[in-house]
Amino acid sequence: VQLQASGGGLVQAGGSLSLSCQVSGRTFSRLAIAWFRQGPGKEREFVAGGRWNGDSTSYADSVKGRATVSRDRNKNTMFLQMNSLKPEDTAVYYCAAGTNTITSNLRQKAGYAYWGQGTQVTVSS
């Protein structure tokens, strides 16, 4: 599985951004697919994700109500739409995939063996 993230950029607080993750290789309904982010000086953290078929989709509390993850299975692409952006959303955003991820690990870095290169999102105040 190969992942290519895109769509990052500079946005003002309160604005919106949409990130895309092109997935190459094997996809199947139980594939775990998620967005993580790593802010300056912080640990990489789960943002949103679940199964490729949409099952078990969840969001971090910090983005709940502001983020929507979706998939276009015809285009093998996952999206992350984020609204009402805050300066604390500034981070490098990574898409990740796992082929043997158990449900309890869907929100954990350890559940994902494949990572994209990351895309920078900067939110100015």
Side-chain angles (χ1 to χ4, degrees), residues 7-124:
L10 175 64
V11 63
Q12 287 189 331
S16 299
L17 205 63
S18 181
L19 304 180
S20 300
C21 178
Q22 179 71 45
V23 183
S24 301
R26 182 185 176 208
T27 59
F28 53 97
S29 62
R30 295 286 295 170
L31 179 75
I33 187 92
W35 290 96
F36 286 76
R37 68 184 181 186
Q38 187 165 13
K42 297 181 180 179
E43 294 287 324
R44 193 171 297 189
E45 63 178 2
F46 173 82
V47 177
R51 300 292 179 187
W52 183 246
N53 65 1
D55 288 351
S56 304
T57 296
S58 68
Y59 297 86
D61 288 345
S62 57
V63 303
K64 199 172 291 183
R66 302 189 296 120
T68 303
V69 65
S70 60
R71 304 132 183 99
D72 184 334
R73 285 183 280 277
N74 290 328
K75 295 182 179 180
N76 268 17
T77 304
M78 175 179 66
F79 303 95
L80 178 68
Q81 174 71 36
M82 289 195 65
N83 303 318
S84 302
L85 284 162
K86 305 174 183 180
E88 50 264 45
D89 293 318
T90 294
V92 178
Y93 284 70
Y94 298 89
C95 56
T99 56
N100 294 295
T101 309
I102 59 176
T103 300
S104 60
N105 272 353
L106 283 174
R107 298 167 66 100
Q108 309 300 322
K109 291 180 292 185
Y112 297 84
Y114 304 95
W115 293 83
Q117 84 287 4
T119 185
Q120 175 72 46
V121 172
T122 302
V123 183
S124 63

